[in-house]
Structures are given as C-alpha cells and as structure tokens.
Amino acid sequence: MSDAIVLYNTWTGFTQRYAQLIGKELACPVQALKDSPADLSQYSTVVFGSRLHAGMFDGWKKAQKLLTQRGANKLVVFATGAMPNEAEAQIQKVWDQNLTPEEQKAIPHFYLQAGLCYEKMGGIDRTMMKFAAWAMTRKKAKTAEDEAFQNAIRQSYDISDPKYIEPVITFLKQQI
C-alpha cells in the first residue's frame, strides 16, 4: 500500500470512477473530499480530483484551503470533463483560469476526458447546457470548433477510459 490518498468531488460519477481506478492502481485509500481524514499529514501525497464546470475546476479553491488546513504534503490534481484530451489549447486555458502560474509549476495537474451525463446533472446545469446547445444552432459563422462543441453537448455521452489514468499513475509511481 502506498502512502498516498485519493480524494474527489463528483457530480455525475466520472471523477469518482477515475479516483477509484487511481486508488486501485496505487493500492491506497479513496474517499470523497467531504469524508476525508482530519489529518492528511500522514500521507506523502494527496491526489485530488474534481470536474470542470463552466471552465472552472469545481471546488478547487475550497479544497485547496481544506487540504492545506489538514496538513496535506505533496498535492497532485486531476480534472475530468467533457472535452476530449486532444483539445489541449482549451484544456490549458482552463488550467490558466484556475491555477496561478506558480501553482501550475508546483502542483502536478492532469486532465482526464470523461463525458457528459444529463441524467445526473442538476436542473440548472442541465438547462444551461441545453441553452448553450440551442444558442450554438443560432450562431451564423461557426468554426469547426463551434460545430464540435454543438455536437458534443446535444446529449449524454461517456468518453472515459481507464487508459487515461496512465500518465497520472506513471507520475505518481515515480513520486511515491
């Protein structure tokens, strides 16, 4: 068993699924952030995962404060979302919006493509996504990226795969 712990926030289950896969590979505990131990200093590494929501790493600032207060040593983060891994420029924009340049250097961070699950979304999120899809149909001069976005948010889909945790696992095994 490694001396790491994997903590996560999840809404639709994608982040939890990836957290459990990472925990299994590392043979370490996996818990929802809200159920995390009061003392994290016993772990050499805390892995935290959450979803991307409207361009934000959901719950990051709150989690960062909590993890610091609870004595987390080394921190590694991963975000899940509906964008494919190949959307590297968009993913970097998200990291730029959520992590300072200093944090990007100090905190290893990974993106894991997951999907979209309207059935598990709250009403407000579901309405916002459906409105965004409708708004895209009204746009006159669409780029290829616009078309891809419009198609991607029309319905639920799952593009997650256990193979996407490989970079996270490789990094962590070198650190732990």
Side-chain angles (χ1 to χ4, degrees):
M1 180 162 148
S2 75
D3 61 345
I5 186 169
V6 181
L7 304 174
Y8 64 89
N9 281 333
T10 194
W11 284 89
T12 57
F14 292 113
T15 305
Q16 181 179 8
R17 185 178 327 145
Y18 277 130
Q20 290 169 335
L21 288 167
I22 292 167
K24 183 177 178 182
E25 283 292 318
L26 298 177
C28 71
V30 177
Q31 294 180 305
L33 179 65
K34 63 183 172 68
D35 300 327
S36 65
D39 180 13
L40 294 171
S41 64
Q42 63 187 309
Y43 301 101
S44 68
T45 304
V46 175
V47 180
F48 172 69
S50 191
R51 69 180 179 160
L52 295 181
H53 180 254
M56 299 306 293
F57 186 32
D58 196 31
W60 166 239
K61 293 299 178 190
K62 183 178 177 182
Q64 188 178 32
K65 184 177 178 182
L66 178 72
L67 296 171
T68 300
Q69 289 172 345
R70 294 187 179 183
N73 293 306
K74 185 169 182 63
L75 187 59
V76 174
V77 299
F78 71 92
T80 61
M83 289 182 287
N85 288 336
E86 296 77 24
E88 293 175 11
Q90 289 174 299
I91 294 165
Q92 185 56 51
K93 284 180 190 175
V94 169
W95 289 125
D96 291 343
Q97 288 175 202
N98 290 274
L99 302 174
T100 66
E102 295 77 24
E103 289 172 331
Q104 288 187 51
K105 289 178 187 171
I107 302 170
H109 49 283
F110 299 87
Y111 175 78
L112 308 174
Q113 72 181 31
L116 194 61
C117 184
Y118 282 110
E119 297 78 14
K120 292 183 181 178
M121 280 183 186
I124 293 171
D125 287 342
R126 194 171 38 250
T127 301
M128 286 176 28
M129 294 300 290
K130 292 294 184 179
F131 178 78
W134 174 82
M136 288 303 293
T137 65
R138 315 271 304 153
K139 189 172 181 181
K140 300 279 185 223
K142 289 184 209 161
T143 65
E145 191 175 271
D146 292 337
E147 290 284 347
F149 176 71
Q150 180 181 348
N151 290 332
I153 63 173
R154 281 194 175 135
Q155 61 191 13
S156 296
Y157 59 93
D158 182 350
I159 55 174
S160 64
D161 192 304
K163 70 182 179 187
Y164 297 132
I165 68 167
E166 290 173 11
V168 181
I169 298 302
T170 299
F171 175 83
L172 289 167
K173 285 186 175 179
Q174 293 171 354
Q175 302 299 309
I176 300 174

